[in-house]
Amino acid sequence: MRFTKMEGCGNDYIYINGWEEKVEHPEELAIAMSERHFGVGADGLVLILPSEKADFRMRMFNLDGSEGEMCGNAVRCIGKYVYERGMTTKTTVTLETLGGIKVLQLHHKDGIVESVCVDMGEPILEAAKIPVVSDKYPVVGEKLQILDKEFLFTCVSMGNPHGVTFVSDVFSFPVEKYGKIAEIAPLFPKKANIEFVEVKNRSHLKMRVWERGSGETLACGTGSCASLVAAVCNGLCDRKVKMELLGGTLEIEWNEGDNHVYMTGPASFSFDGVWLK
């Protein structure tokens, strides 16, 4: 089975072209291929498929085999894949996901996609739709005791659930210690991606993420969008920021005119390969 390894700000996935390959059990394949010692090594598996509603359709599976609704970094990578592999000549591409249809603007030069801007849609702030167990709207300052610390979470869905909390020094913060417990807390009925965010100034945020089903990753597109929305809801930043991640930097804007969140960032090919197992 042929595959392509790609990454967006270090958030790496294995991509399989659904026109060329048929995947019978993607959950099992995601676990096997994502393993970094005995497999290819990745944060998960992404299938690029035909769609009846959009130009293309995406299914993404975390490294534990669970299917996720959305992945912003994977969306950008798919934009680069379909354009540079000759599957489309469009520079505005629609992509069907479990988190809704996303619109991709491909910024290219000499046939190479240098960056992708994704319309991530409107953030979901209603507790029942995120989902999160809360009677607040928006869900700001929801308390959660984890081990020896009490955290205040702001909760947002960008097609998948996020719990965002603010810390003073994110790059030294023990993300795994608290993230793996917060992910499965009763506060989040469908589990959640957990973002730890440091506010440098009103146009610069730093973020680390504990992803639902994958653990800490070097970047998270939907998490970056949710983090900006959460910071704005708390009055901590402007509506357009540079989001600094372990794997790189994204530009995130929560547009006041249409209420949509826009994410712009890179996508890169790593290598092509053949899975023989």
Side-chain angles (χ1 to χ4, degrees), residues 44-163:
L45 174 71
V46 175
L47 307 182
I48 305 172
L49 302 164
S51 172
E52 296 180 356
K53 303 177 181 178
D55 295 320
F56 301 94
R57 179 166 67 98
M58 174 183 88
R59 292 185 71 189
M60 62 86 58
F61 298 85
N62 299 305
L63 58 81
D64 68 353
S66 60
E67 185 166 8
E69 298 94 339
M70 250 294 291
C71 175
N73 291 313
V75 166
R76 295 199 316 277
C77 286
I78 288 176
K80 183 178 180 72
Y81 184 105
V82 298
Y83 186 83
E84 292 190 20
R85 296 290 168 95
M87 298 173 71
T88 184
T89 58
K90 295 181 178 180
T91 55
T92 300
V93 176
T94 56
L95 180 65
E96 179 186 354
T97 77
L98 290 181
I101 293 177
K102 307 303 175 185
V103 180
L104 290 62
Q105 296 290 339
L106 311 183
H107 302 150
H108 67 95
K109 182 179 180 181
D110 299 327
I112 302 299
V113 175
E114 297 182 329
S115 67
V116 180
C117 178
V118 184
D119 180 351
M120 301 290 283
E122 296 187 63
I124 297 169
L125 303 176
E126 296 92 342
K129 295 180 180 179
I130 294 173
V132 59
V133 180
S134 175
D135 58 3
K136 297 180 179 181
Y137 179 85
V139 184
V140 173
E142 194 66 56
K143 294 180 180 179
L144 182 61
Q145 184 72 35
I146 305 174
L147 301 176
D148 58 330
K149 289 183 178 292
E150 182 179 79
F151 293 85
L152 298 178
F153 278 97
T154 297
C155 302
V156 181
S157 173
M158 292 302 308
N160 53 355
H162 295 269

Side-chain angles (χ1 to χ4, degrees), residues 140 166 199 202 228-238:
V140 173
F166 298 92
V199 179
R202 295 195 65 84
L228 168 61
V229 171
V232 171
C233 287
N234 282 274
L236 298 175
C237 73
D238 298 331

Side-chain angles (χ1 to χ4, degrees), residues 12-15 30 34 36 41-46 61-63 214:
D12 58 340
Y13 285 88
I14 298 157
Y15 294 78
S34 298
R36 294 190 184 274
D43 291 326
L45 174 71
V46 175
F61 298 85
N62 299 305
L63 58 81
S214 291

